[in-house]
Amino acid sequence: MTTPRRFPDDFVWGSATAAYQIEGAADEDGRGPSIWDTFSRTPGKVLNGDTGDVADDHYHRWAEDVQHIRDLGLDAYRLSISWPRVQPGGTGEFNEAGIAFYSRLVDALREAGVKPVVTLYHWDLPQELEDAGGWTNRTTAYAFAEYARRMAEELGARVDTWTTLNEPWCSAYLGYASGVHAPGRTEGEGALRAVHHLNLAHGLAVKAIREVLGDDAKTSVTLNLHVVRPDTDSAEDADAVRKIDALANRAFLGPLLDSAYPDDLLADTAHVTDWSFVEDGDLAITRQPLDVLGVNYYSTARVRHFAGDGAPEQNDGHAESAATPWVGVTDVEFLEQPGPYTAMGWNIEPQGMTDLLLSLHATYPDQPLMVTENGAAFDDVVSPDGAVHDPERVAYLHDHVDAVGTAVDAGADVRGYFAWSLLDNFEWSYGYSKRFGIIRVDYDTLVRTWKDSAHWYRRLATTRTLPGVDEVSPPDGGTTVRHASRPVPHPHEGAGRAGTLSTRGSSSAGQSSGLIIRRSWVQAPPALLARAEARRPSRTR
Ligand code: FCB
């Protein structure tokens, strides 16, 4: 019998959610509209016409949700603040009622012994800012920093870790290039502008938080780095990987960790933009010391050089779109990958998690890492007795946590792991059709029910030892399976509206996926570091 894998006592176990996906109360207590309110209310943008109007009603049920978090034995909870709830127009007046909501939530978490990890931007930009250009407008970055400053003043040291942005890749490319996310624009150049203004917003916000709270404030950013593998060993396929790696990964890692945009990215996109929106001094701002780099990992991508006529295969895991998110790249195709798949159609590949963490560690050896999202959607079935047996999700979590452990054993400095998600919730353009929660939400009654995966995860968090996949029964002293909630009619259950969004089902690869991974980065980090070092002084834009 092998010894079960044990994690260090100070390894942080958590779970994550995002404001628009769970809160509901879209028009309450002075909240302003966000781009996701506008987008989801636009016919054809979200499956079944679902919106976040009610979502999990967390805005009213937060106390119960904190109790679940405590009962799960979690060390930390990753939440996001809805910018338009605390500052309805994105500039100017703040909304005291909105701030009070997060203040109460953070206090309740701390009273429960849970560290609040707070993301400032998980995609819900105030609509007024979008009306003025959104992330294509440089002033949005400065508005974001002022919002961050105010949150630091209000919530202060009660927040354990501040995360500026969640997955700026999605904000920029899905929001402004392929248009499958809010605000639904399809402008290649605009997406690259958005990339830069998000990077700038991050740097300005970290500086603002540190100005308020001092250098002890813990700061981070969360990236969905893509694990991109070549189809063959050919030079053309290696170049396809390089191009996607540049747009997906190094467009963020470069400015945030190396103070530079990669030369090859600038060259690849020169026919789209001259990047003159990068102003003198910006790259000194984008790079700020980060206590942890947040890593979201779900799956991998496989690419090859495309020389044919017509459209290349686009199995990149994102909702199908006429416009590509891969700005400026027309000669790369994303291939269907071998299964198994999750209900998102994303391939399941725990090895990608290990590769990603080790590759990052090899490239940035002094940068602590944190897995800020990992998890899976499956088509859950409620048993007659009300239980939800979700062995596929348990296996997914087990194998990916194990893969994190493998990376830790090999030297990666990984400080924690957050399961996506605490609750079933609004999965963006897929609406409520995809369930990622370890706790089920019944969308008719809003009752929360622990799935087997919640019991399994509780065991992991409380013993810090990887349980077997069959260890899903409530342990001694375990929590109740369900908590009663006030029934509320939910607009998206049984509405019977036909979905207009087309998705790729099982032929898709990873939406969020992960790194690179240029083999040379793994095998020869010193060479890479030397190259990065040599690049630094010469690149000031
Ligand atoms: C990530 C998002 C998160 C959720 C998961 C499934 O890209 O950050 O909100 O949608 O994917």
Side-chain angles (χ1 to χ4, degrees), residues 21 43 85 92 104 137 164 167 172 190 336 439 456 459 521 536:
Q21 295 180 276
R85 194 180 288 292
R104 281 194 300 270
N137 185 343
T164 53
E167 301 190 353
E336 182 168 347
I439 296 179
W456 182 89
R459 226 176 248 270
W521 285 34
R536 249 171 230 158

Side-chain angles (χ1 to χ4, degrees), residues 75-273:
D75 304 309
Y77 172 57
R78 177 175 178 249
L79 65 115
S80 84
I81 294 179
S82 160
W83 185 355
R85 194 180 288 292
V86 299
Q87 192 183 27
T91 56
E93 292 270 294
F94 282 85
N95 176 26
E96 294 302 335
I99 294 172
F101 169 72
Y102 295 107
S103 184
R104 281 194 300 270
L105 180 56
V106 162
D107 281 346
L109 288 166
R110 291 176 63 87
E111 274 160 32
V114 176
K115 293 176 174 149
V117 173
V118 172
T119 301
L120 288 164
Y121 187 72
H122 201 125
W123 306 353
D124 43 359
L125 188 71
Q127 182 61 43
E128 258 184 57
L129 290 181
E130 175 55 29
D131 295 342
W135 287 111
T136 65
N137 185 343
R138 185 177 172 92
T139 60
T140 298
Y142 290 89
F144 180 71
E146 286 319 300
Y147 150 63
R149 180 187 306 280
R150 179 67 181 261
M151 290 304 102
E153 286 164 1
E154 295 283 351
L155 303 179
R158 291 181 287 159
V159 168
D160 181 77
T161 303
W162 296 89
T163 304
T164 53
L165 308 172
N166 176 72
E167 301 190 353
W169 185 92
C170 294
S171 302
Y173 297 110
L174 299 183
Y176 292 88
S178 71
V180 299
H181 278 189
R185 284 159 62 179
T186 49
E187 306 155 17
E189 207 255 354
L192 296 177
R193 273 178 191 273
V195 165
H196 180 61
H197 295 146
L198 284 154
N199 286 329
L200 182 63
H202 160 80
L204 291 167
V206 171
K207 280 166 70 92
I209 292 166
R210 291 228 165 90
E211 275 164 28
V212 175
L213 297 174
D215 288 344
D216 288 346
K218 287 201 268 169
T219 56
S220 69
V221 63
T222 278
L223 303 178
N224 57 320
L225 299 165
H226 286 57
V227 175
V228 188
R229 306 195 192 284
D231 188 37
T232 70
D233 287 341
S234 71
E236 280 110 336
D237 286 358
D239 202 51
V241 169
R242 181 195 61 71
K243 283 182 179 163
I244 298 305
D245 173 42
L247 278 170
N249 302 326
R250 290 180 288 119
F252 302 97
L253 291 172
L256 300 182
L257 296 180
D258 291 325
S259 294
Y261 281 103
D263 290 329
D264 61 328
L265 171 71
L266 304 186
D268 289 347
T269 55
H271 61 292
V272 179
T273 177

Side-chain angles (χ1 to χ4, degrees), residues 206-422:
V206 171
K207 280 166 70 92
I209 292 166
R210 291 228 165 90
E211 275 164 28
V212 175
L213 297 174
D215 288 344
D216 288 346
K218 287 201 268 169
T219 56
S220 69
V221 63
T222 278
L223 303 178
N224 57 320
L225 299 165
H226 286 57
V227 175
V228 188
R229 306 195 192 284
D231 188 37
T232 70
D233 287 341
S234 71
E236 280 110 336
D237 286 358
D239 202 51
V241 169
R242 181 195 61 71
K243 283 182 179 163
I244 298 305
D245 173 42
L247 278 170
N249 302 326
R250 290 180 288 119
F252 302 97
L253 291 172
L256 300 182
L257 296 180
D258 291 325
S259 294
Y261 281 103
D263 290 329
D264 61 328
L265 171 71
L266 304 186
D268 289 347
T269 55
H271 61 292
V272 179
T273 177
D274 62 3
W275 292 77
S276 54
F277 44 79
V278 182
E279 297 186 5
D280 280 354
D282 282 3
L283 290 168
I285 296 170
T286 55
R287 182 187 183 206
Q288 298 295 326
L290 293 176
D291 293 278
V292 288
L293 173 64
V295 177
N296 291 356
Y297 173 80
Y298 290 91
S299 112
T300 65
R302 192 159 58 95
V303 299
R304 78 170 166 222
H305 174 69
F306 175 74
D309 294 331
E313 272 187 60
Q314 200 67 55
N315 293 297
D316 60 4
H318 308 293
E320 196 174 348
S321 57
T324 178
W326 303 104
V327 179
V329 175
T330 51
D331 59 353
V332 173
E333 115 173 304
F334 287 75
L335 303 172
E336 182 168 347
Q337 302 200 75
Y341 307 101
T342 69
M344 296 295 286
W346 300 345
N347 64 308
I348 300 174
E349 209 211 289
Q351 181 64 41
M353 172 76 92
T354 307
D355 290 351
L356 172 60
L357 295 170
L358 286 178
S359 172
L360 278 170
H361 178 65
T363 310
Y364 301 104
D366 299 328
Q367 178 60 62
L369 308 171
M370 180 94 99
V371 178
T372 39
E373 280 182 33
N374 174 243
F378 288 105
D379 296 329
D380 297 324
V381 175
V382 183
S383 298
D385 64 354
V388 181
H389 303 300
D390 57 343
E392 291 167 302
R393 185 173 294 102
V394 171
Y396 182 100
L397 293 173
H398 174 278
D399 293 355
H400 285 78
V401 168
D402 196 32
V404 173
T406 303
V408 171
D409 288 351
D413 183 4
V414 187
R415 303 285 172 94
Y417 173 96
F418 288 70
W420 183 272
S421 178
L422 180 72

Side-chain angles (χ1 to χ4, degrees), residues 24-44:
D27 294 321
E28 274 183 61
D29 292 346
R31 178 184 178 279
S34 79
I35 54 174
W36 270 97
D37 296 284
T38 308
F39 189 76
S40 65
R41 291 169 189 174
T42 306

